Amino acid sequence: MTYWFNAPGLRNLAPMGSTSTARSLSGTFLIPKLFIGVNAIPERGGGIIRYILPYCTTKRAFIIGDRYVSHLSERVATAMQNGGFTTETWNRTEPEVPLTNVEECASAMTAFEPDLIVAVGGGSVMDMAKVAWIRYERPDITDLRTLSPMVPLGLRKKARLLAVPTTSGTGAECTAAAVLTDEVEHRKFPVSSREIVPDFAAIDPTFTMGMPPKLTAGTGLDALAHAMDNIIAGVSNDITDALAIRAIELVFKYLPRAYKNPRDREARLKMHIAATTSGMAFGNGACHLTHNLGHALGQVFKIHHGVAVGIFIIPTLQFCAPVTNKYLEVCKALEIKGKTDEESLANLISRVRQLLAELDLPDNLEGLGITREQFQSNLDRMTTDAYEDPSVFGSPRWITREECRRMYEYTFEGKDIDF
Ligand SMILES: [Fe+2]
């Protein structure tokens, strides 16, 4: 079995496809229809449900959640029922979405025959909904690991997808990708198709009010990593830049508040909007080195996705600085000054370090509790996984396998990247 992103033809062509020149040959901007605010999906029905109804003939909603937020999927089930839907709730999504778990979900979905799929949860639940939807509509696609983004799926003959995020970070409600876990290879891999961008999303901050501080910090950093990467990515454009910059401003202003006071309603609303805004940006642009390095680290050491990618924001900025000075746009938005570009970058990096400290997070792997021995014994595997991860294609500076290794070594100690 070869993962779709390791197919030789695609791997050779991908770096060209991620350049701004190639990207400008065609342009799409795919996002769901958004309902935003505290009443986006009211329990009495109405809101976004009234808008969705005409798209559904049988009005059968299959609601996907997990055991952590089952009270929220039940809340949505009540809202859907009051809005005229027959519902079934499946709260068995496992973290990191193992492939066998996808098959369980797809079987239950197929038995219910919905014309609306509703994802109520964080990134894993939304990813689960996207891929179970593929298996429901295309049972002939039996191996998601080999499914190329180029293959037309012909979705929406049976159902549409509504996303109701309950964390503020992944942006999965706006993206054309899902990350799954291959239990056989012990490895995460993405499934990507422009057809799996959800049709609708309810961005309701009341769904995030119960998030514990650690999860608030991790998911918020994920949103920041998406936006920071996107700004310097080769495929970014004026629209994604505007969204990413706004998301960055919101995260710096409101994430520490949401972290320190989980009941701060304004901070929760702003962070929910920041995550979706960042999702729109990188969903139509790219996130890159924070994510290929963070994916492999998170998988090996079982570190929360947002923390794992957030710790690579600084190394990524430093590594890419020789080929782009678009970080100056972030400096301008955050009113960070410097006499030279280098000084501005250094001041921006200090600001990111300050944010990490406010969230009680380190800027190095040692600070996450990883010992030198553990690090060394897993370095080869992380290096390979990070180098092969298709997120690398979005980086404005091409990274070699050896440089991936050095990025880990430097980040272990929190050293500035100087190569
Ligand atoms: Fe992410």
Side-chain angles (χ1 to χ4, degrees), residues 170 222 226 282 287 291 305 309:
T170 72
D222 191 21
H226 298 150
F282 91 93
C287 65
H291 272 61
H305 169 77
V309 301

Side-chain angles (χ1 to χ4, degrees), residues 178-343:
V179 179
L180 314 181
T181 300
D182 181 347
E183 306 104 303
V184 178
E185 300 287 332
H186 300 287
R187 158 168 200 183
K188 286 188 181 182
F189 71 97
V191 171
S192 181
S193 165
R194 53 189 288 163
E195 294 184 44
I196 60 175
V197 176
D199 297 281
F200 315 98
I203 312 303
D204 185 334
T206 62
F207 281 80
T208 71
M209 293 302 284
M211 249 202 304
K214 264 189 162 176
L215 187 60
T216 302
T219 49
L221 276 182
D222 191 21
L224 183 63
H226 298 150
M228 286 288 206
D229 270 8
N230 187 76
I231 281 290
I232 57 174
V235 297
S236 64
N237 58 48
D238 290 323
I239 298 174
T240 63
D241 281 357
L243 292 164
I245 287 288
R246 187 64 183 144
I248 290 166
E249 288 174 339
L250 290 173
V251 170
F252 273 93
K253 185 166 179 187
Y254 292 103
L255 179 54
R257 270 176 59 177
Y259 174 68
K260 289 192 177 73
N261 179 10
R263 310 305 298 179
D264 184 330
R265 293 176 74 88
E266 185 190 18
R268 287 294 195 200
L269 172 63
K270 294 292 189 180
M271 277 308 300
H272 219 31
I273 290 171
T276 297
T277 306
S278 187
M280 286 190 273
F282 91 93
N284 291 282
C287 65
H288 42 90
L289 298 185
T290 60
H291 272 61
N292 71 309
L293 294 163
H295 282 154
L297 177 79
Q299 175 69 11
V300 167
F301 291 108
K302 307 296 173 225
I303 295 166
H304 180 267
H305 169 77
V307 173
V309 301
I311 214 154
F312 288 106
I313 292 173
I314 291 170
T316 297
L317 283 168
Q318 291 175 327
F319 179 78
C320 295
V323 300
T324 175
N325 65 358
K326 277 192 73 186
Y327 55 81
L328 292 175
E329 294 185 26
V330 181
C331 293
K332 190 175 161 196
L334 297 178
E335 297 178 6
I336 292 170
K337 295 188 171 64
K339 290 192 187 75
T340 61
D341 288 2
E342 289 73 25
E343 194 178 306

